[in-house]
């Protein structure tokens, strides 16, 4: 029972708003001590007296944390996770080169003349950025600054515009390379390269689904996304296509460097992140945006984001250590095995629903490090293919970036949108995209063969 | 009173037959002691520190561990030779050394500074030399070859110009598939086929570097001393028996996998290294041993004891098994 | 008190500088290893081990640095709506009851491990691996020590906010958004300039 009450205590304490990493760590300390006291009590350690029993119990609790240094040392040596800071670094450098903005501009003008055109080019640029980096914040902000004003100027509905930006900006989490997939690869102990490969089709399906949705909506409702008049000053159509192609080159270069070096056998996924980082710096040099200052800020920013992730990992390690030593895992396993109906289907439905709901409140890093490790052995016992299950979770977690009230994507967009755009408009705007994601998630869950993935081992 | 012990393994919960040894040992202990000594087993997915088990037993976080002695080479070089040595003894020879040739005493002497007791924990038998994407015909073919081969054997290979590469075990298959690695060594047919290496690197070379890999039980000495005499004997008996059982189980698994390999995966080509390559390995090995024993008297004592015993035992192996096999190959 | 706060900030920035350098070195290190292996068929276990040594510096020391810029993610459903004083109070209590216990517990229990690695001069067990393993092991107690120091700074900063000496800094996402926006604004000028050949803006 300690494990379960520990879990709910953590959820409650998180609401206070103190950093998540330390909240989990503190709950671990508290319940580690309680578990120590309970253990000593159950062995009759209180027979000698209350105080000596308590002291012995606290000793037992403290002793449990003696495992922590070894767990942390194992994290230090985890070369798979080393990819995280380097992919973040690469994303930040790319963002600082301003190449994304150029691409967004030229694509926007290229497709602007069809209804919904700017929204579609936002999705396309979003997926290119996703395949070259995958830093959510940067993509959303870039598109919020560049394409939102354009869409608003040409009388696109605010809901469609904001929804498109938020959804396209989060594509980086499912389209490889992706931090979520790296973390899940670590938690599931499956090759990150396999996850990257398996995520390509589901990711592209999502892109296609977004575009089809935009086409349909702008066709059905005339004033949602009107066509914009051709701008002769931009040159002939041919010239525009040419310019767009030129502007795609930098992102394509990075995609080839990163995914090419993984699938071409030059580098492991971790190493490809260094190749990509150097490539991004090379692009900055080529496009004359390089400066020592840029490297400095990029390094500082990636250290911050990385430490944020690893602080949570260390907090989560302490938490799950106490959780598992107090028998919490057994209770969850028993619960999962007693779900009604066919075990595999009910397990998938239940875990997907639980992750979706938790995603409304907590971050993907916490979910990946606290919740997922508990369900991994159960999935393995049911014979579920870990690659498929990891992709399902990744897709599900991607949705959490969009779900109000705490979707990261929404925060980022709100931060750059003009004051006339209300939070409610953004919330309403992302709803259709959330539905699309859940539909694609459903297809992946029940018709995995459509994506060429086996659901069982 | 009931003693509740905790044991940490270097292996994951499904790495059979390694993981089976401690489970079987714990079961025997509990039954033989009528429930007075209960050992709970945490696999590496639970304690998350596969190679931290030495320190955790030393520090008392765990009462015992199941691992392999050569992993501690960096902490204390004297622990190196108790697993196996390149071109060293075969499994029966090595067990004879441990139990009758003074090996056990030397092992306790090596672990004494750490207040740890060490016992044999099961043997994999002769390990295979590894999976290669390309055939090795000369020493030249080894130059620049990217190979995952950890430990002392890796040092021998490095001396021959192999680019020894560290890759996390989860990434091994894909690295070999895509050419990040040209070769790797794992264990033997029984365990290798599960990893699928044969699909991407069809040249399977016979062993030279780990002729008798002995796993190891580590026990915290202070905790062991606190056990009543009868439980100590029960524990030691169960460890010894489980070690022998693992050896047998692994032998059967490998035989099974090999026959499966022949029918299911006919593309696998079992190879032996050409003589010049083997000779160069032997030479590099002797040089390395001379180097590490120079400043470590205890290590020298152990290796000298192994070499002397191997000489005697090998004469008998040749007289008995080798001649028998040679004359009865069909 | 404000001066004291500045002092702690400077200390955190120093950690930030070290970790940033480690970050750049790690990228170069990994890139070097890929190139030497792929192009020159050479490989050094020592250099490969250096990768995770640098990674350790980033993740372990970075935790303390990130606390200074309020970079650790929070669940801010309620927190966001509170007054500065209430937020500051949460942060002060959090530093004492949430950060301090775990830092002491893990920090102290990790000292032995580093000391014993030093005493036995533990080194890598791999061919050509690195020596002085106590250094990476000592990073663990060091990281918690630094975290305790920066959380004292964090406490003082929030005490100053509580006493009305200055407002609380913006949260992480707002910070980040401002930075990126700033970058993009700069690029925009750049883009417009090149497109219209310096005629506008
Ligand atoms: Na991505
Ligand atoms: Na091996």
């Amino acid at each position: 029972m300690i494990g379960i009450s520990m879990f709910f205590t953590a959820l409650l304490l998180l609401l206070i708003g103190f950093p998540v990493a330390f909240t989990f760590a503190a709950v671990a300390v508290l319940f580690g001590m309680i578990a120590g006291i309970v253990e000593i009590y159950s062995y009759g350690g209180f027979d000698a007296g209350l105080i000596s029993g308590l002291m012995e119990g606290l000793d037992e609790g403290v002793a449990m944390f003696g495992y922590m240094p070894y767990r942390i040392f194992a994290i230090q040596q985890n070369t798979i996770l080393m990819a995280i800071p380097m992919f973040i670094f690469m994303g930040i450098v790319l963002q600082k080169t301003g190449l994304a903005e150029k691409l967004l501009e030229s694509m926007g003008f290229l497709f602007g003349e069809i209804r919904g055109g700017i929204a579609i080019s936002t999705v396309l640029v979003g997926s290119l950025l996703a395949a070259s980096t995958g830093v959510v914040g940067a993509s959303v902000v870039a598109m919020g600054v560049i394409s939102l004003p354009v869409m608003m100027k040409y009388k696109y509905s605010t809901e469609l515009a904001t929804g498109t930006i938020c959804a396209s900006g989060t594509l980086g989490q499912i389209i490889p390379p992706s931090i979520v997939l790296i973390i899940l690869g670590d938690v599931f102990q499956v090759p990150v390269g396999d996850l990257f490969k398996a995520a390509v089709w589901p990711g592209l399906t999502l892109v296609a689904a977004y575009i089809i949705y935009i086409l349909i909506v702008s066709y059905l409702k005339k004033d949602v996304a009107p066509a914009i008049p051709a701008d002769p000053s931009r040159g002939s159509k041919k010239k525009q296509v040419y310019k767009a192609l030129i502007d795609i080159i930098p992102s394509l270069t990075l995609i080839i460097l990163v995914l090419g070096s993984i699938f071409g056998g030059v580098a492991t996924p971790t190493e490809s992140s260094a190749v990509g980082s150097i490539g991004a710096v090379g692009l900055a040099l080529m496009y004359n945006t390089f400066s020592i200052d840029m490297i400095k800020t990029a390094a500082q920013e990636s250290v911050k984001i990385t430490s944020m992730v690893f602080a949570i990992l260390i907090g989560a390690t302490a938490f799950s250590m106490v959780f598992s030593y107090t028998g919490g895992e057994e209770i969850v396993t028993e619960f999962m095995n007693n779900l009604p109906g066919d075990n595999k289907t009910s397990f998938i439905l239940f875990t997907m629903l639980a992750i979706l709901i938790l995603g409304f409140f907590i971050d993907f890093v916490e979910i990946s490090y606290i919740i997922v490790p508990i369900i991994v052995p159960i999935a393995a016992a049911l014979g579920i293919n870990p690659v498929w299950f990891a992709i399902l979770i990744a897709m599900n977690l991607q949705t959490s970036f969009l779900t109000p009230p705490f979707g990261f994507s929404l925060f980022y967009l709100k931060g750059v949108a003009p004051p006339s755009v209300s939070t409610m408009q953004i919330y309403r705007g992302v709803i259709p995209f959330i539905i699309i994601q859940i539909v694609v998630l459903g297809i992946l869950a029940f018709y995995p063969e459509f994506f060429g993935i086996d659901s069982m081992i | 009173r009931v003693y509740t012990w905790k044991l940490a393994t270097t292996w994951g919960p499904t790495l059979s037959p390694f993981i089976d040894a401690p489970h079987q040992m714990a079961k025997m202990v509990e039954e033989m002691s009528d429930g007075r000594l209960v050992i709970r087993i945490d696999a590496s997915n639970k304690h998350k520190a596969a190679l931290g088990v030495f320190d955790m037993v030393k520090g008392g976080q765990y009462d015992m561990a199941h691992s392999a002695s050569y992993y501690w080479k960096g902490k204390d070089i004297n622990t190196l030779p108790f697993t196996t040595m390149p071109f060293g003894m075969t499994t029966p020879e090595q067990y004879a050394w441990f139990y009758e040739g003074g090996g056990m005493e030397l092992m306790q002497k090596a672990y004494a500074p750490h207040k740890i007791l060490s016992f044999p924990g099961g043997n994999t038998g002769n390990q295979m030399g590894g999976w290669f994407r390309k055939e090795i015909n000369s020493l030249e073919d080894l130059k620049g070859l990217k190979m995952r081969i950890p430990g002392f054997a890796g040092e021998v290979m490095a001396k021959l110009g192999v680019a020894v590469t560290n890759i996390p075990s989860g990434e091994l298959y894909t690295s070999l598939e895509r050419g990040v690695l040209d070769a790797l060594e794992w264990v033997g047919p029984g365990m290798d086929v599960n990893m699928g290496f044969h699909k991407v690197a069809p040249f399977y070379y016979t062993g030279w570097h780990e002729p008798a890999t002995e796993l190891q039980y580590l026990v915290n000495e202070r905790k062991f001393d606190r056990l009543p005499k009868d439980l100590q004997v029960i524990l030691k008996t169960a460890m010894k028996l489980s070690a022998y059982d693992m050896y047998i189980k692994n032998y059967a698994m490998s035989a099974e996998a090999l026959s499966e390999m022949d029918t299911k995966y006919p593309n696998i080509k079992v190879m032996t290294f050409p003589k010049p390559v083997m000779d160069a390995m032997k030479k590099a090995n002797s040089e390395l041993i001379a180097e590490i024993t120079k400043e470590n008297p205890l290590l020298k004592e152990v290796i000298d004891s192994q070499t002397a015993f191997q000489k005697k035992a090998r004469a008998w192996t040749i007289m008995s098994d080798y001649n028998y096999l040679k004359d009865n190959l069909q | 008190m404000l001066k004291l706060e500045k002092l702690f900030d400077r200390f955190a920035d120093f950690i930030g500088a070290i970790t940033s350098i480690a970050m750049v070195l790690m990228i170069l290190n990994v890139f070097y290893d890929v190139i030497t292996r792929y192009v020159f068929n050479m490989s050094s276990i020592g250099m490969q081990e250096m990768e995770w040594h640098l990674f350790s510096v980033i993740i372990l020391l970075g935790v303390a640095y990130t606390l200074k810029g309020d970079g650790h993610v929070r669940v801010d459903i309620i927190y966001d709506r509170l007054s500065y004083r209430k937020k500051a109070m949460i942060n002060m209590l959090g530093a004492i009851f949430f950060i301090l216990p775990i830092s002491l517990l893990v920090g102290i229990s990790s000292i032995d491990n580093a000391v014993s690695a030093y005493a036995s001069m533990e080194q890598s067990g791999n061919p050509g691996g690195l020596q002085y393993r106590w250094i990476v092991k000592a990073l663990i107690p060091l990281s918690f020590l630094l975290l305790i120091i920066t959380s004292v700074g964090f406490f003082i900063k929030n005490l100053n906010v509580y006493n009305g000496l200055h407002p609380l800094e913006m949260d992480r996402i707002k910070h980040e958004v401002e930075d990126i926006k700033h970058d993009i604004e700069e690029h925009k000028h750049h883009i417009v300039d090149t497109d219209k050949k310096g005629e506008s803006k």
Side-chain angles (χ1 to χ4, degrees):
Chain A
M1 263 344 269
I2 292 181
I4 301 302
S5 40
M6 176 175 180
F7 193 77
F8 287 102
T9 310
L11 285 184
L12 269 178
L13 283 179
L14 282 178
L15 289 177
I16 300 175
F18 197 70
V20 172
F22 306 119
T23 308
F24 274 118
V27 173
V29 173
L30 176 66
F31 280 83
M33 299 307 142
I34 293 177
I37 292 170
V38 169
E39 176 142 346
I40 294 302
Y41 182 81
S42 68
Y43 283 123
F46 278 64
D47 299 349
L50 182 65
I51 300 295
S52 72
L54 276 177
M55 291 313 282
E56 215 182 313
L58 287 179
D59 261 2
E60 184 79 13
V62 168
M64 195 185 299
F65 284 82
Y67 299 117
M68 279 298 289
Y70 307 106
R71 289 178 163 240
I72 295 175
F73 193 59
I75 295 172
Q76 285 171 255
Q77 294 178 74
N78 188 331
T79 46
I80 292 164
L81 295 178
M82 235 163 61
I84 295 175
M86 291 189 281
F87 276 130
I88 293 173
F89 180 88
M90 158 176 146
I92 293 172
V93 170
L94 186 74
Q95 164 212 321
K96 297 207 176 287
T97 57
L99 299 169
E101 288 88 328
K102 272 179 129 174
L103 180 60
L104 210 48
E105 268 214 343
S106 53
M107 293 271 264
F109 281 107
L110 188 61
F111 291 109
E113 288 159 48
I114 54 168
R115 257 194 242 164
I118 309 177
I120 290 172
S121 61
T122 303
V123 175
L124 288 177
V125 174
S127 30
L128 276 171
L129 287 183
S132 36
T133 72
V135 181
V136 171
S139 319
V140 173
V141 172
M143 294 189 282
V145 171
I146 312 272
S147 69
L148 185 59
V150 182
M151 287 197 263
M152 295 192 47
K153 181 176 161 202
Y154 291 106
K155 302 278 183 295
Y156 271 52
S157 98
T158 311
E159 280 82 359
L160 181 68
T162 52
T164 305
I165 291 173
C166 289
S168 320
T170 54
L171 283 170
Q173 294 302 319
I174 187 83
I175 296 180
S178 140
I179 310 288
V180 175
L181 292 177
I182 294 169
I183 293 181
L184 288 176
D186 176 47
V187 173
F188 273 92
Q189 292 291 301
V190 292
V192 173
D194 288 5
L195 287 187
F196 279 8
K197 217 170 174 178
V200 171
W201 284 117
L204 292 182
T205 308
L206 216 46
V207 174
Y210 290 169
I211 293 178
I212 292 169
Y213 166 75
I214 294 167
L215 281 172
I216 292 176
V217 168
S218 45
Y219 176 79
L220 291 179
K221 294 192 202 161
K222 261 198 195 93
D223 48 348
V224 165
I228 62 173
D231 178 359
S233 77
R234 309 278 315 173
S236 68
K237 199 86 221 165
K238 220 185 218 164
K239 209 173 143 196
Q240 284 183 33
V241 173
Y242 178 72
K243 183 162 185 329
L245 285 178
I246 293 285
D247 289 343
I248 288 182
I249 290 175
S251 340
L252 275 186
T253 313
L254 279 191
I255 295 173
I256 291 169
L257 277 180
V258 171
L259 297 185
S261 67
I262 298 174
F263 298 134
V266 176
T268 63
T270 300
E271 292 169 339
S272 80
S273 63
V275 175
S277 296
I278 299 287
V281 174
L283 287 174
L285 278 168
M286 257 164 60
Y287 287 82
N288 263 332
T289 47
F290 176 86
S291 69
I292 293 295
D293 219 38
M294 172 182 118
I295 300 293
K296 209 175 115 190
T297 356
Q300 271 173 359
E301 282 309 305
S302 30
V303 166
K304 274 191 200 164
I305 303 177
T306 309
S307 321
M308 183 268 281
V309 171
F310 280 88
I312 294 176
L313 174 54
I314 292 172
T317 300
F319 184 90
S320 46
M321 178 185 75
V322 176
F323 186 76
S324 92
Y325 281 100
T326 53
E329 270 167 20
E330 282 81 4
I331 296 178
V332 176
T333 312
E334 205 183 302
F335 172 79
M336 292 285 193
N337 287 335
N338 288 322
L339 288 175
D342 157 39
N343 249 344
K344 187 197 142 198
T345 317
S346 57
F347 171 77
I348 295 286
L349 276 176
F350 182 83
T351 48
M352 286 301 121
L353 199 65
I355 291 175
L356 195 66
I357 293 172
L358 282 167
F360 278 85
F361 306 98
I362 55 176
D363 200 47
F364 77 91
V365 191
E366 292 106 82
I367 296 180
S368 307
Y369 282 131
I370 303 252
I371 311 295
V372 180
I374 303 173
I375 54 182
V376 165
I378 307 174
L382 289 172
I384 291 172
N385 177 6
V387 171
W388 172 66
F389 194 45
I391 301 289
L392 274 182
I393 293 175
M395 196 106 163
N396 195 333
L397 288 176
Q398 200 215 341
T399 315
S400 74
F401 279 81
L402 289 180
T403 43
F406 313 113
F408 267 96
S409 214
L410 314 176
F411 289 134
Y412 284 114
L413 186 60
K414 183 77 184 107
V416 288
S420 66
V421 175
S422 74
T423 307
M424 276 322 282
Q425 281 175 315
I426 301 182
Y427 285 3
R428 276 202 302 273
V430 290
I431 289 172
F433 291 93
I434 295 175
I435 294 171
I436 292 174
Q437 293 208 342
I438 294 178
V439 170
V440 177
L441 180 64
I443 299 175
L444 182 61
F446 296 103
Y447 303 98
E449 58 278 9
F450 182 76
F451 299 96
I453 309 177
D454 290 326
S455 65
M456 304 302 271
I457 296 168
Chain B
R1 71 168 275 202
V2 173
Y3 292 84
T4 316
W5 273 29
K6 287 171 290 187
L7 179 151
T9 69
T10 289
W11 340 111
T14 56
L15 194 74
S16 190
F18 288 17
I19 195 76
D20 303 332
H23 277 290
Q24 195 209 1
M25 184 275 300
K27 190 163 169 277
M28 281 191 285
V29 163
E30 193 169 338
E31 284 171 4
M32 290 195 286
S33 70
D34 197 18
R36 285 165 53 230
L37 177 55
V38 181
I39 302 173
R40 189 193 75 198
I41 291 161
D42 287 348
S44 62
N45 65 323
K46 186 121 177 178
H47 58 73
K48 311 268 184 207
L51 295 180
V53 301
F54 178 96
D55 290 324
M56 290 197 284
V57 171
K58 190 175 176 180
Q61 279 87 14
Y62 277 94
D63 306 288
M64 55 190 303
H66 191 246
S67 192
S69 193
Y70 61 5
Y71 293 136
W72 324 129
K73 170 182 170 244
K75 296 176 196 294
D76 185 341
I77 192 137
N78 296 332
T79 60
L80 171 71
F82 297 102
T83 305
T84 182
M85 288 302 277
F87 305 107
M89 292 177 276
T90 65
T91 307
E93 291 167 350
Q94 188 169 282
Y95 270 138
W97 174 70
F98 266 125
Y99 294 117
E100 302 296 331
M104 282 296 279
E105 291 72 19
L106 286 168
M107 181 149 76
Q108 302 316 340
K109 201 167 161 187
Y111 278 87
H114 306 283
K115 304 265 186 292
I116 286 177
L117 304 174
S118 172
F119 302 91
N123 203 294
T124 68
N126 203 331
Q127 292 205 6
M128 290 295 282
W131 299 90
F132 289 69
R133 284 158 59 96
K134 283 182 289 249
E135 214 174 315
I136 302 298
N137 292 317
S138 67
L139 271 173
E140 208 44 47
D141 291 340
L142 283 182
K143 296 238 158 48
L145 188 91
K146 291 164 283 195
M147 181 170 190
R148 177 261 181 205
I149 174 164
F152 194 72
E155 234 150 308
V156 174
M157 283 303 224
K159 254 190 138 175
L160 301 184
V162 169
V164 177
T165 307
N166 267 342
I167 301 262
S169 58
E171 301 282 344
L172 283 178
Y173 177 79
T174 28
S175 300
L176 190 62
E177 180 189 24
R178 297 186 184 126
V180 173
L181 285 178
D182 299 316
L184 57 78
E185 74 83 38
W186 195 240
V187 182
M191 295 176 78
D192 291 9
V193 168
N194 293 336
M195 300 284 283
F197 299 135
H198 55 278
K199 287 183 245 168
V200 288
F203 298 99
Y204 198 23
Y205 277 84
T206 54
W208 56 276
H209 65 304
E210 297 200 19
T213 309
E214 185 68 35
L215 307 183
Q216 163 196 45
Y217 284 109
L218 289 169
V219 182
N220 180 301
E221 192 181 1
R222 200 164 34 88
K223 300 283 179 65
F224 185 81
D225 289 344
R226 272 197 232 152
L227 287 181
K229 189 84 185 64
D230 62 331
L231 290 185
Q232 289 182 351
V233 175
I234 287 174
L235 182 64
K236 279 164 112 171
T237 310
M239 286 192 290
K240 191 169 176 180
L241 196 53
S242 72
Y244 189 62
D245 277 357
M246 195 212 102
Y247 172 48
I248 295 169
K249 191 167 178 178
N250 193 68
Y251 214 100
M253 258 177 78
S254 286
E256 188 61 41
L258 186 61
S259 77
E260 192 184 298
M261 240 169 65
D262 287 342
T263 50
K264 258 190 172 163
Y265 314 110
N267 74 319
I268 298 179
K269 293 181 190 64
V270 177
M271 315 283 289
T272 50
F273 288 110
K275 184 139 194 320
V277 172
M278 205 58 113
D279 288 344
M281 286 172 174
K282 250 182 219 159
K283 184 162 164 278
N285 184 55
S286 322
E287 284 166 12
L288 276 171
I289 287 180
E291 229 170 84
I292 55 170
T293 47
K294 212 164 34 187
E295 280 154 21
N296 296 289
L298 180 54
L299 184 68
K300 188 168 177 352
E301 189 185 341
V302 177
I303 288 181
D304 285 348
S305 156
Q306 285 183 331
T307 316
F309 193 87
Q310 177 172 339
K311 214 173 154 195
K312 267 190 280 178
R314 187 58 52 84
W316 168 238
T317 307
I318 290 171
M319 170 76 89
S320 57
D321 286 346
Y322 175 76
N323 282 322
Y324 169 75
L325 290 173
K326 184 169 60 93
D327 298 338
N328 295 284
L329 277 180
Q330 260 72 50
Chain C
M1 270 322 235
L2 280 173
K3 254 191 194 149
L4 195 60
E5 183 186 327
K6 281 260 153 53
L7 194 72
F8 277 102
D9 277 354
R10 290 242 303 273
F11 179 72
D13 285 337
F14 174 67
I15 305 173
I18 293 177
T19 47
S20 301
I21 292 169
M23 177 78 216
V24 173
L25 289 178
M26 179 174 83
I27 294 172
L28 293 173
N29 187 168
V30 178
F31 187 69
Y32 170 88
D33 288 344
V34 177
I35 296 296
T36 49
R37 189 188 60 226
Y38 191 72
V39 182
F40 304 105
N41 283 330
M42 289 185 325
S43 185
S44 148
I45 292 283
M47 282 299 277
Q48 291 175 50
E49 289 186 346
M50 188 54 89
E51 293 175 4
W52 66 262
H53 282 58
L54 290 165
F55 177 61
S56 299
V57 172
I58 298 169
I59 58 172
L60 286 175
L61 306 195
V63 174
Y65 168 57
T66 307
L67 186 64
K68 179 227 160 190
D70 202 9
H72 288 290
V73 57
R74 307 168 183 262
V75 173
D76 42 15
I77 323 171
I78 297 173
Y79 182 80
D80 243 7
R81 292 161 201 212
L82 298 177
S83 66
Y84 281 146
R85 278 172 67 92
K86 280 191 181 136
K87 282 182 186 171
M89 182 53 89
I90 287 178
N91 288 336
M92 287 188 286
L93 292 175
I96 298 171
F97 294 107
F98 285 20
I99 301 184
L100 201 58
I102 185 87
S103 304
L104 287 174
L105 256 180
V106 183
I108 292 174
S109 70
S110 59
I111 293 174
D112 267 1
N113 206 12
V115 169
S116 106
Y118 178 80
S120 65
M121 269 297 133
E122 182 177 347
Q123 53 179 352
S124 161
N126 287 309
L130 297 179
Q131 298 182 323
Y132 310 118
R133 184 139 287 181
W134 65 271
I135 298 177
V136 265
K137 290 198 167 173
L139 284 176
I140 304 176
L142 179 66
S143 107
F144 286 99
L145 175 67
L146 294 181
L147 183 59
I148 291 174
I149 297 174
T150 44
S151 55
V152 172
F154 182 72
F155 183 92
I156 294 173
K157 178 175 288 179
N158 281 281
L159 185 66
N160 289 342
V161 173
Y162 189 80
N163 290 332
L165 293 180
H166 62 68
L168 206 59
E169 275 177 37
M170 289 185 299
D171 70 37
R172 184 173 63 90
I173 290 186
K174 281 184 201 139
H175 250 309
E176 211 182 304
V177 167
E178 283 310 313
D179 285 351
I180 302 175
K181 214 169 133 183
H182 174 252
D183 281 347
I184 293 172
E185 291 301 330
E186 271 186 356
H187 298 144
K188 250 186 166 170
H189 296 282
H190 174 75
I191 294 169
V192 173
D193 271 353
T194 49
D195 282 359
K196 303 217 166 156
K197 304 197 169 57
E199 280 166 40
S200 70
K201 291 197 182 170

